[in-house]
Amino acid sequence: MKTKELTFFEGNLEEAPVTMSSREIASLTGKRHDNVLRDCDKLNESYESLGLLKIQESTYEAENGHTYREFRLTRMQCFDLMTGYSRELRIKVNRRWEELKKKESTQYPTSYANALRRLAAVVEQNEQQQKRLDEAAQWYSIKR
């Protein structure tokens, strides 16, 4: 299967999908960032084999002036990552996503074009979720 990769978002911030950084996940869960990066790399390998969008990788500049890599995870990617972690850690991250969701829900598109872009993003996300559900149902039926 051909792998789809997310590209860096260019445009208005209001149109950008809400994401959480791997550094924030490390902070919330008490895990070392390098371990979260490793888990994201492994998750991307799985996404690649399933033909799903990979987690967006970016960089940040630390206080010491060095540039390091990080991942920007969508809500679904974050859930995929967190299912491998403990209940307590999943709860912390789930609560943070609720905060992000509330913040996003108060941001309204400023133009018709922006509203259409936001709608297209939601439709695409729904299609990806449906595809995952269909694949899980197919996998489950094979295992039975």
Side-chain angles (χ1 to χ4, degrees):
M1 288 184 192
K2 182 139 176 113
T3 302
K4 303 172 203 162
E5 294 203 31
L6 288 175
T7 56
F8 289 101
F9 182 80
E10 296 177 8
N12 291 332
L13 262 174
E14 69 181 31
E15 300 167 13
V18 178
T19 60
M20 187 182 296
S21 75
S22 53
R23 291 184 299 144
E24 185 171 7
I25 292 169
S27 175
L28 287 167
T29 61
K31 289 183 162 281
R32 289 183 13 189
H33 187 235
D34 62 323
N35 291 333
V36 175
L37 290 174
R38 180 201 62 217
D39 295 341
C40 289
D41 285 329
K42 288 181 181 179
L43 191 56
N44 269 343
E45 290 173 9
S46 297
Y47 286 159
E48 185 172 7
S49 68
L50 294 170
L52 299 173
L53 291 172
K54 293 170 73 174
I55 303 169
Q56 178 185 355
E57 189 169 347
S58 62
T59 59
Y60 70 97
E61 188 173 318
E63 291 178 6
N64 64 8
H66 290 101
T67 301
Y68 298 100
R69 72 184 191 124
E70 72 175 354
F71 285 101
R72 303 294 311 178
L73 291 85
T74 63
R75 185 174 182 170
M76 185 58 66
Q77 291 167 337
C78 196
F79 289 158
D80 290 343
L81 178 71
M82 295 308 301
T83 54
Y85 294 171
S86 74
R87 278 188 305 263
E88 291 81 12
L89 300 182
R90 285 194 305 264
I91 289 168
K92 287 180 182 179
V93 171
N94 288 342
R95 295 304 176 269
R96 176 66 178 129
W97 269 112
E98 278 305 307
E99 291 173 13
L100 291 171
K101 186 176 178 182
K102 287 177 185 173
K103 179 180 173 187
E104 179 187 33
S105 67
T106 60
Q107 297 174 350
Y108 298 101
T110 57
S111 70
Y112 184 69
N114 288 344
L116 289 175
R117 284 186 198 99
R118 189 173 280 178
L119 175 62
V122 169
V123 169
E124 183 177 357
Q125 187 178 31
N126 288 344
E127 288 173 351
Q128 290 173 359
Q129 290 173 351
Q130 186 60 50
K131 182 179 177 183
R132 286 183 182 167
L133 288 171
D134 293 344
E135 289 171 349
Q138 181 182 11
W139 181 85
Y140 183 73
S141 67
I142 292 170
K143 295 293 182 181
R144 288 190 102 191

